[in-house]
Amino acid sequence: MPPPADIVKVAIEWPGAYPKLMEIDQKKPLSAIIKEVCDGWSLANHEYFALQHADSSNFYITEKNRNEIKNGTILRLTTSPAQNAQQLHERIQSSSMDAKLEALKDFASLSRDVTFAQEFINLDGISLLTQMVESGTERYQKLQKIMKPCFGDMLSFTLTAFVELMDHGIVSWDTFSVAFIKKIASFVNKSGMDISILQRSLAILESMVLNSHDLYQKVAQEITIGQLIPHLQGTDQEIQTYTIAVINALFLKAPDERRQEMANILAQKQLRSIILTNVIRAQRAINNEMAHQLYVLQVLTFNLLEDRMMTKMDPQDQAQRDIIFELRRIAFDAESEPNNSSGSMEKRKSMYTRDYKKLGFINHVNPAMDFTQTPPGMLALDNMLYFAKHHQDAYIRIVLENSSREDKHECPFGRSSIELTKMLCEILKVGELPSETCNDFHPMFFTHDRSFEEFFCICIQLLNKTWKEMRATSEDFNKVMQVVKEQVMRALTTKPSSLDQFKCKLQNLSYTEILKIRQSERMNQEDFQSRPILELKEKIQPEILELIKQQRLNRLVEGTCFRKLNCRRRQDKFWYCRLSPNHKVLHYGDLEESPQGEVPHDSLQDKLPVADIKAVVTGKDCPHMKEKGALKQNKEVLELAFSILYDSNCQLNFIAPDKHEYCIWTDGLNALLGKDMMSELTRNDLDTLLSMEIKLRLLDLENIQIPDAPPPIPKEPSNYDFVYDCN
């Protein structure tokens, strides 16, 4: 018989003794189990002891996490968290430098455990750490010259422990003094600081800014962009990542009126070119965290355009109207202005109306009315003026070229610019907050100080070129915009490294090329609508669905490595889940690191019979998505979450590594439960496989027209003399 579910077989270590093999009854109180272990080694005062994992994590076993103990786990008997916290509280205040260093090293390691962290914080440990950072460092300044490595290690361990303790979210960030902030800022501002100290100091500043409005203001007073720039010019990508993270945090939390000012400072300090040279074009790969921070910076920079994008033009504002006059002047270069007599006034109005029509405005009499729609608001007018001033020859050519065409074939520059600006804002998601998981940055936007305006200038010329290639009329305006959007999106997906490269990509995506791509895609996803083909599809579909089902179940048998949901970026935990070959049991268990290849069944200690599964839920219906927490409320995480519900109030919670794995697992689990596979991946696979199967079956009918209706049944013959009777 298998052992009861509440009994777990473990090994327990104690320094200087042989490990013990024990069966732990999960129904018994943890204190009773610890007493039993202590009695086995004749140890008194069992309340001063605790159990912890013997692996690299060293996490304490508590009543909350004891269910995570698996068969075969190695545990260690050690001093209780309260005792350990008390001892370390005293040891880190030792007058001996060596003893203090050793204590801080142990402290930095133990602080990752939330149970220990809670006990240490209860001893007012955070205050002790801040005092050590504020005043202790000065005491050691004299020793720094003769004991610099020792001093650097002590400060590094102290800051590491502080970061770990604060990551548990037990203590509010609002409790820290200005002196502490100044001290942390001084480590960042000081040149030649130890890498580990600098990294942790930057991490602390980022957390302060993101977690407290008051601390944002204090940090902003202590840290300037100019002091952060040198850290970007180094070669350590981790330091560069944390530096950009601090800049992003300051940018994100800055009041609206301060953001533009901060953007101007970033431009003055040439942040963009420094990042381009030292990060994007450095001779090393960009890791995911750096890519995410660059994406956040890109989004925050483009979000500065939101104010203009949502500002309507005031037709009575003379300064705004002057911009339209300037567009007209550059295009048509009026040599002289008529006099202000009543006759010349009428003449001027007539001339302006004619020119505004040539410029492609919808409202020829008062073009200001074209800019009252938001978005794009005044941003469209800003782009038009930038194009007219910085690409004057191209601007004049487009305007004059179109004004010489027939009215119906004219590409209206004004209307096109307004719609194009709106489209580009949608593509770049101007005004939306950055995603917590996305790392989709575009290197080309870091190659120019006015990257959005230059992006517009390239795209407006593309629009005019596509208009001519399509031989479009005014009725085709929306069709042209759709083609241009497709051209821009396809070019962006190639991640061009510069605006010139982006322009070259667009040159290769002419309207003719887009038609070829569309035709190719249409052939690959051809939708046969004739009745015989539809009937054939219905006949084939169950066979294809069974094929997809088998593929999904085979993938579940192979298994997948999942990340445990954790708001702390630096510590990734993994677990693996796979289906048994007979499709009757799910095997799962924790892993130390992401596996390289398939994980065998026998290394996964936990089992869940498929027969016990009650339901599979996704997204917001998942138990682990209903808890509060910034990460758990993230849209991308919600879209990857699913849970298996079994027994009473028991669940197995998943966060898929990507959308593809999410579809594979939800499809496979639904197939196991006898339910329909409803994912987007299944729909796509079904369409693709059906199309391929039908094409294969119709190969012999190439160039033969398939009728919509079956051919008529011929009349019966007058006699059946042609029938041969075998008898």
Side-chain angles (χ1 to χ4, degrees):
M1 287 181 62
D6 295 320
I7 301 299
V8 184
K9 295 181 178 181
V10 300
I12 301 179
E13 298 176 343
W14 172 251
Y18 286 109
K20 281 188 174 186
L21 295 176
M22 276 191 70
E23 288 188 353
I24 292 178
D25 187 350
Q26 292 285 37
K27 290 181 179 178
K28 291 174 65 176
L30 190 59
S31 57
I33 296 170
I34 293 171
K35 184 178 187 304
E36 185 181 337
V37 175
C38 290
D39 291 345
W41 276 308
S42 303
L43 299 172
N45 301 321
H46 72 274
E47 62 272 13
Y48 294 152
F49 292 90
L51 292 172
Q52 68 179 178
H53 288 278
D55 58 17
S56 57
S57 69
N58 292 329
F59 288 162
Y60 280 101
I61 305 298
T62 65
E63 291 290 355
K64 288 183 178 179
N65 65 20
R66 63 183 294 178
N67 289 328
E68 296 178 11
I69 302 174
K70 315 298 180 190
N71 281 314
T73 301
I74 301 175
L75 304 178
R76 183 188 299 120
L77 186 66
T78 185
T79 50
S80 68
Q83 286 288 108
N84 226 342
Q86 184 64 51
Q87 291 169 9
L88 274 170
H89 194 275
E90 295 168 3
R91 286 172 59 200
I92 62 176
Q93 299 180 74
S94 171
S95 57
S96 165
M97 294 289 283
D98 290 338
K100 192 184 190 79
L101 180 61
E102 192 63 31
L104 285 168
K105 185 177 180 181
D106 293 342
F107 181 38
S109 175
L110 279 166
S111 296
R112 292 182 297 130
D113 183 72
V114 66
T115 311
F116 170 83
Q118 183 66 69
E119 294 293 345
F120 189 83
I121 289 169
N122 290 343
L123 297 172
D124 204 18
I126 294 290
S127 297
L128 175 62
L129 286 183
T130 55
Q131 288 168 16
M132 289 172 64
V133 172
E134 289 174 25
S135 58
T137 48
E138 269 114 20
R139 265 192 294 146
Y140 302 134
Q141 290 293 338
K142 296 176 183 177
L143 301 170
Q144 191 173 359
K145 291 181 182 178
I146 56 174
M147 300 183 70
K148 187 170 184 180
C150 180
F151 167 76
D153 288 344
M154 280 199 299
L155 186 54
S156 175
F157 289 137
T158 304
L159 294 177
T160 300
F162 177 83
V163 169
E164 297 290 352
L165 290 175
M166 292 305 297
D167 269 350
H168 295 300
I170 300 169
V171 180
S172 169
W173 283 93
D174 289 311
T175 57
F176 298 107
S177 65
V178 174
F180 179 72
I181 297 168
K182 286 180 179 288
K183 182 58 66 177
I184 297 296
S186 70
F187 300 147
V188 174
N189 296 337
K190 190 175 181 181
S191 60
M193 184 56 71
D194 182 81
I195 292 293
S196 60
I197 296 172
L198 178 59
Q199 177 193 313
R200 286 154 182 78
S201 299
L202 288 166
I204 291 169
L205 291 177
E206 180 197 6
S207 295
M208 284 180 171
V209 172
L210 292 176
N211 289 287
S212 169
H213 178 68
D214 290 339
L215 289 187
Y216 154 73
Q217 294 176 323
K218 293 171 184 175
V219 170
Q221 292 172 359
E222 299 298 327
I223 293 287
T224 64
I225 300 300
Q227 291 163 328
L228 292 171
I229 292 294
H231 302 313
L232 292 172
Q233 295 171 319
T235 56
D236 190 301
Q237 189 171 114
E238 199 165 358
I239 294 298
Q240 292 175 325
T241 303
Y242 275 100
T243 302
I244 297 175
V246 172
I247 293 172
N248 286 339
L250 290 168
F251 214 145
L252 189 63
K253 292 298 178 179
D256 292 342
E257 64 275 8
R258 276 271 300 145
R259 284 184 187 171
Q260 189 58 56
E261 181 185 335
M262 188 174 174
N264 295 337
I265 295 171
L266 295 178
Q268 290 171 9
K269 298 296 182 181
Q270 297 184 320
L271 176 73
R272 177 198 57 75
S273 59
I274 289 170
I275 289 175
L276 182 67
T277 304
N278 296 282
V279 178
I280 296 174
R281 291 181 177 171
Q283 298 301 310
R284 62 176 181 271
I286 293 176
N287 61 36
N288 287 338
E289 185 59 27
M290 173 60 87
H292 172 68
Q293 294 301 338
L294 290 172
Y295 153 78
V296 172
L297 182 60
Q298 173 186 293
V299 171
L300 294 175
T301 303
F302 284 142
N303 280 357
L304 293 171
L305 303 169
E306 184 183 12
D307 184 50
R308 293 294 283 173
M309 182 180 78
M310 300 308 293
T311 300
K312 294 181 180 182
M313 183 170 185
D314 180 2
Q316 306 304 318
D317 188 317
Q318 188 59 43
Q320 294 179 1
R321 292 172 65 189
D322 285 346
I323 298 175
I324 297 176
F325 293 151
E326 181 68 5
L327 288 172
R328 178 195 161 278
R329 185 195 66 76
I330 294 172
F332 304 111
D333 194 24
E335 294 181 359
S336 60
E337 290 293 329
N339 296 324
N340 287 329
S341 63
S342 59
S344 61
M345 182 66 75
E346 289 299 321
K347 184 179 177 183
R348 178 160 54 172
K349 281 183 179 180
S350 173
M351 181 177 64
Y352 279 11
T353 300
R354 183 196 67 213
D355 290 347
Y356 291 149
K357 185 175 183 297
K358 290 179 181 179
L359 281 170
F361 290 113
I362 296 172
N363 192 317
H364 307 153
V365 178
N366 187 4
M369 299 304 295
D370 287 14
F371 300 95
T372 55
Q373 179 192 356
T374 58
M378 288 295 292
L379 184 60
L381 189 58
D382 295 342
N383 284 339
M384 293 167 71
L385 184 63
Y386 181 91
F387 181 51
K389 285 189 170 182
H390 293 84
H391 300 270
Q392 193 166 321
D393 291 344
Y395 167 70
I396 293 173
R397 188 188 72 250
I398 287 175
V399 173
L400 297 183
E401 199 175 82
N402 284 295
S403 63
S404 62
R405 292 181 187 155
E406 292 181 53
D407 285 353
K408 68 174 185 176
H409 286 289
E410 176 188 347
C411 177
F413 173 73
R415 183 186 175 191
S416 299
S417 298
I418 292 167
E419 290 302 318
L420 180 64
T421 301
K422 182 179 179 181
M423 185 185 81
L424 297 183
C425 288
E426 289 172 358
I427 290 173
L428 298 177
K429 299 181 179 177
V430 174
E432 294 185 21
L433 286 175
S435 160
E436 293 179 22
T437 57
C438 184
N439 53 14
D440 185 27
F441 82 98
H442 293 278
M444 73 176 192
F445 291 129
F446 290 85
T447 62
H448 200 284
D449 289 327
R450 303 289 293 275
S451 58
F452 184 80
E453 289 86 344
E454 288 293 326
F455 185 43
F456 168 84
C457 293
I458 293 170
C459 293
I460 193 66
Q461 293 177 74
L462 168 72
L463 193 154
N464 191 64
K465 172 175 168 283
T466 302
W467 184 283
K468 289 188 289 184
E469 289 173 350
M470 292 178 68
R471 297 178 181 176
T473 63
S474 53
E475 288 81 11
D476 300 321
F477 185 85
N478 290 332
K479 290 180 183 177
V480 175
M481 293 303 297
Q482 287 172 5
V483 173
V484 170
K485 184 173 184 177
E486 187 173 344
Q487 290 170 314
V488 172
M489 294 288 283
R490 288 185 183 277
L492 284 177
T493 55
T494 64
K495 294 291 179 75
S497 59
S498 66
L499 290 164
D500 286 338
Q501 198 177 91
F502 175 67
K503 200 184 297 184
C504 290
K505 297 283 184 186
L506 292 176
Q507 290 292 336
N508 297 329
L509 284 170
S510 63
Y511 176 59
T512 306
E513 186 63 27
I514 291 293
L515 285 179
K516 287 180 183 177
I517 293 170
R518 286 180 174 181
Q519 180 66 20
S520 174
E521 290 176 350
R522 199 157 35 239
M523 288 177 67
N524 291 334
Q525 301 174 355
E526 194 165 0
D527 186 18
F528 298 100
Q529 295 299 326
S530 65
R531 185 180 159 192
I533 301 301
L534 292 175
E535 288 178 358
L536 183 59
K537 275 187 176 182
E538 287 179 13
K539 186 178 178 181
I540 298 172
Q541 186 163 315
E543 181 185 331
I544 300 295
L545 282 171
E546 183 61 29
L547 187 67
I548 294 171
K549 175 183 172 181
Q550 291 306 317
Q551 187 271 340
R552 300 293 192 263
L553 293 176
N554 289 340
R555 280 287 291 106
L556 264 60
V557 170
E558 291 176 18
T560 301
C561 179
F562 298 93
R563 288 181 189 270
K564 286 196 170 183
L565 188 63
N566 197 338
C567 63
R568 303 172 69 200
R569 282 186 309 207
R570 293 181 296 283
Q571 294 180 1
D572 288 329
K573 293 184 179 180
F574 303 92
W575 67 289
Y576 201 87
C577 187
R578 61 181 300 185
L579 181 66
S580 63
N582 63 5
H583 300 173
K584 290 185 177 181
V585 179
L586 284 172
H587 297 263
Y588 62 96
D590 291 344
L591 299 175
E592 288 295 321
E593 56 186 4
S594 183
Q596 303 298 319
E598 196 174 290
V599 176
H601 287 97
D602 52 10
S603 66
L604 304 172
Q605 299 295 325
D606 294 293
K607 298 178 182 179
L608 173 59
V610 172
D612 291 349
I613 299 176
K614 306 296 183 190
V616 175
V617 294
T618 60
K620 292 181 180 179
D621 295 328
C622 297
H624 58 313
M625 291 294 108
K626 293 178 181 177
E627 302 169 21
K628 291 184 178 179
L631 181 63
K632 294 172 185 173
Q633 298 301 320
N634 183 272
K635 183 182 176 184
E636 285 77 9
V637 175
L638 276 173
E639 290 176 350
L640 299 176
F642 61 99
S643 297
I644 295 174
L645 306 182
Y646 63 97
D647 291 343
S648 56
N649 298 323
C650 292
Q651 68 265 343
L652 194 59
N653 298 321
F654 298 76
I655 299 292
D658 52 50
K659 194 68 178 175
H660 183 267
E661 286 296 322
Y662 169 85
C663 293
I664 291 286
W665 274 83
T666 52
D667 282 345
L669 291 170
N670 281 324
L672 284 173
L673 298 178
K675 297 182 178 179
D676 291 337
M677 298 179 292
M678 304 297 293
S679 76
E680 183 181 346
L681 182 64
T682 292
R683 290 195 297 272
N684 292 339
D685 286 350
L686 181 61
D687 289 344
T688 303
L689 292 171
L690 268 177
S691 177
M692 288 172 61
E693 183 66 20
I694 287 174
K695 286 177 182 177
L696 286 171
R697 295 196 182 198
L698 298 180
L699 277 176
D700 293 337
L701 300 178
E702 191 172 358
N703 298 324
I704 296 176
Q705 184 67 35
I706 300 173
D708 290 335
I713 299 173
K715 293 179 180 180
E716 286 191 27
S718 57
N719 62 68
Y720 292 89
D721 293 344
F722 57 86
V723 177
Y724 178 72
D725 188 355
C726 296
N727 296 325

